[in-house]
Amino acid sequence: MSPVSRGRRRNAKKRSVRGGAPLVVVGAPEECDCPNCAGAQPTPGQIDDLLSQSVDIDAMQDPLEVEMAASMLLAIGAAMGDDFDRALLGLFVPTFEAKSTPAARAMLAGIASVTDGEVSRAAAEAAHRLTGAGVTAPPWLAELDAPITVEDCRRFVDPSGSTFLLAGRFQRAGRSNVVVVSLDDCDCGAAGQILLIEADRWDEAREALLADLHAGGVDVTEEKLRPADFRRAVEDALDARAEHDRFDPEVLDEALEEDGPDYAALALVLRSWMRALPATRRRTRGHSHDGELDVASISALLDLLNPRGRGGAVPAQRRPASLPAKRKKSDGQAPIYQIKVSLRGARPPIWRRLEVPADVSLARLHELIQVAFGWNDSHLHVFETRHGSFGRPDPELGHRAASRVTLEQVAPAVGDKLRYTYDFGDNWEHDILVEKALDRESSVAYPRCVGGRRAAPPEDCGGVWGYADLVEILGDPTHPEHQDRLDWLDLDDPTGFDPARFDAKAVTAALQQGR
């Protein structure tokens, strides 16, 4: 069984690693009868309908199918709000048990398998009572109680050390599946897609994945991981994605539109499998929203505040790499770079995908980013690269002239990255990733914007944390600062600023005004 999630892309075409038709784990109803659509308090009859639409016990042949059916229900319910656990304990589990059918027993076993804590115990006890009452189940359902093991854990990394994929082979009761998790290094290392692939199809799927990466200009190598390190890496990626999705109003809509297991459902199953692996001490995530700093973060902060170090000696500085020569006319026309520019620390993510000539100067790239994000270019900026820092020339800060260096000089290959910081007070940091090198199209005018998400923050609103406060205050008419913020933005009402707004065509038009 090889369900493949669509990751973060809506309505993406599903692929099957079996080589045949895409596999749908369970048949989704044409009209959704989930609690969200049926009403805040679903009736037992509506829950019965959900059960019949989710679990076809006669057609199922693998316990993973039951786990998927349960996780799809749980993922949709969890996206609805924090009260779903109470609904599971007080309504769903009792209703399934009262149904007293093989499908109900299977769903309870699936819920027990993919959850933990009180919900898992309640579902397991209800399933056990149905077993004692003589409710039958296929023999393979007992495999859910079998221990899970993992082997051949790997990560796929580029030359800079950034992880693109994590893969591990899981075994349970003689069945073996490979889990693959893709990571977005420009999005705090958050998980992007989750794939479950039959072990005997892994070699074929692995070659296809590597071919896709190489076709995009990404050169990766494989490194083995201990199971404990694999668990930590996967859980860090899932946690980062969960934190981002917590602020995303589209998560529930996307889950309801899926005709099979979406990312959230696959993540629930994967987390349940991870709990069977050895654990290592989890590090504090650098992008945590709780404001806490670990020892390493505090040390780094002290070093930034005191460049000479606490001991008084100037620390050794890493020597910048030699800057490659500029492109000559004899080298031919530069390709077009597709770059993703992400506002660091923004939740939900704010980013722009731009197509620009590879030989654009960093000074010109600065202007394009200003336009793409709606900045006013009223503050200092700097590009941080492995070849040094570039912006307005400043010997004291070590900044060289951005007008004298091109993008392809500091990022000569697909997968290369650099950092762009604007306004050293609010400290708007942008991660820039070269995603693709494209041939120029004679019918296309460059530069252009081909994608993005959400409006950029207003100038001088206090950085990403200040912007989060601004959005919250604008959304609360009773807040004591609500009117002051409207006046500051010169707005009559909060509808004049929509943080979810983004228009790629409008950005392209603005980019090309000064072309």
Side-chain angles (χ1 to χ4, degrees), residues 119-335:
V119 171
S120 179
R121 289 192 297 272
E125 290 169 359
H128 181 71
R129 286 192 292 269
L130 290 183
T131 302
V135 177
T136 60
W140 50 258
L141 189 62
E143 294 178 19
L144 287 176
D145 296 325
I148 293 175
T149 59
V150 67
E151 60 183 25
D152 197 22
C153 301
R154 295 173 179 267
R155 68 170 182 160
F156 296 76
V157 298
D158 70 4
S160 71
S162 296
T163 301
F164 276 76
L165 299 171
L166 296 165
R169 188 188 305 266
F170 287 80
Q171 295 186 15
R172 179 176 59 190
R175 301 179 193 265
S176 183
N177 290 278
V178 175
V179 173
V180 181
V181 182
S182 67
L183 277 60
D184 186 347
D185 190 56
C186 283
D187 196 18
C188 304
Q193 287 187 314
I194 300 173
L195 284 73
L196 296 179
I197 304 170
E198 283 185 339
D200 59 2
R201 303 290 292 178
W202 168 233
D203 289 340
E204 175 187 348
R206 174 183 169 278
E207 292 302 320
L209 289 169
L210 291 177
D212 285 346
L213 289 172
H214 292 157
V218 180
D219 184 23
V220 297
T221 57
E222 298 180 46
E223 296 179 358
K224 287 190 175 182
L225 291 175
R226 297 181 305 155
D229 293 332
F230 176 73
R231 174 179 176 175
R232 184 180 66 184
V234 169
E235 289 182 339
D236 280 349
L238 297 178
D239 288 348
R241 173 69 179 271
E243 184 72 4
H244 299 176
D245 285 352
R246 184 165 66 92
F247 295 90
D248 191 344
E250 297 181 354
V251 170
L252 177 57
D253 292 338
E254 293 180 359
L256 294 175
E257 288 180 3
E258 286 295 314
D259 60 357
D262 73 329
Y263 167 86
L266 291 164
L268 280 173
V269 172
L270 181 53
R271 283 187 185 277
S272 70
W273 290 4
M274 286 295 158
R275 288 193 288 269
L277 305 187
T280 61
R281 184 176 179 180
R282 302 287 298 280
R283 64 183 183 275
T284 301
R285 290 196 61 80
H287 80 300
S288 172
H289 293 267
D290 59 12
E292 294 181 0
L293 294 175
D294 56 14
V295 173
S297 300
I298 294 173
S299 176
L301 181 60
L302 288 173
D303 288 340
L304 287 173
L305 294 174
N306 180 11
R308 292 186 172 271
R310 282 163 285 177
V314 178
Q317 300 294 320
R318 179 181 295 178
R319 187 179 184 86
S322 299
L323 190 66
K326 279 188 179 180
R327 176 179 295 271
K328 300 177 182 178
K329 289 185 177 180
S330 58
D331 295 330
Q333 197 172 33

Side-chain angles (χ1 to χ4, degrees), residues 380-397:
L380 294 175
H381 70 278
V382 67
F383 290 91
E384 299 287 352
T385 80
R386 66 190 185 94
H387 301 283
S389 302
F390 302 89
R392 182 177 298 176
D394 190 326
E396 291 186 5
L397 295 176

Side-chain angles (χ1 to χ4, degrees), residues 5 26 42 78 94 96 104 116 121 123 151 176 178 199 278 281 334 350 366 376 398 401 415 421 431-432 446 505:
S5 82
V26 292
F96 289 149
D116 60 355
R121 289 192 297 272
E151 60 183 25
S176 183
V178 175
R281 184 176 179 180
I350 299 172
H366 155 70
N376 298 328
T421 301
D431 289 320
I432 303 174
Y446 303 100
K505 290 183 179 179

Side-chain angles (χ1 to χ4, degrees), residues 27-39 42 45-47 49-54 72-73 75-77 80 92 252-260:
E30 293 184 1
E31 295 183 1
C32 181
D33 290 322
C34 74
N36 181 69
C37 298
Q46 290 168 337
I47 296 177
D49 289 341
L50 276 175
L51 179 63
S52 63
Q53 293 159 358
S54 300
M72 288 170 67
L73 169 67
I76 292 174
M80 289 163 49
F92 282 80
L252 177 57
D253 292 338
E254 293 180 359
L256 294 175
E257 288 180 3
E258 286 295 314
D259 60 357

Side-chain angles (χ1 to χ4, degrees), residues 478-493:
T478 65
H479 196 283
E481 296 181 28
H482 182 77
Q483 188 59 48
D484 288 341
R485 298 302 178 95
L486 288 176
D487 293 341
W488 180 69
L489 291 171
D490 197 23
L491 297 175
D492 293 328
D493 61 77

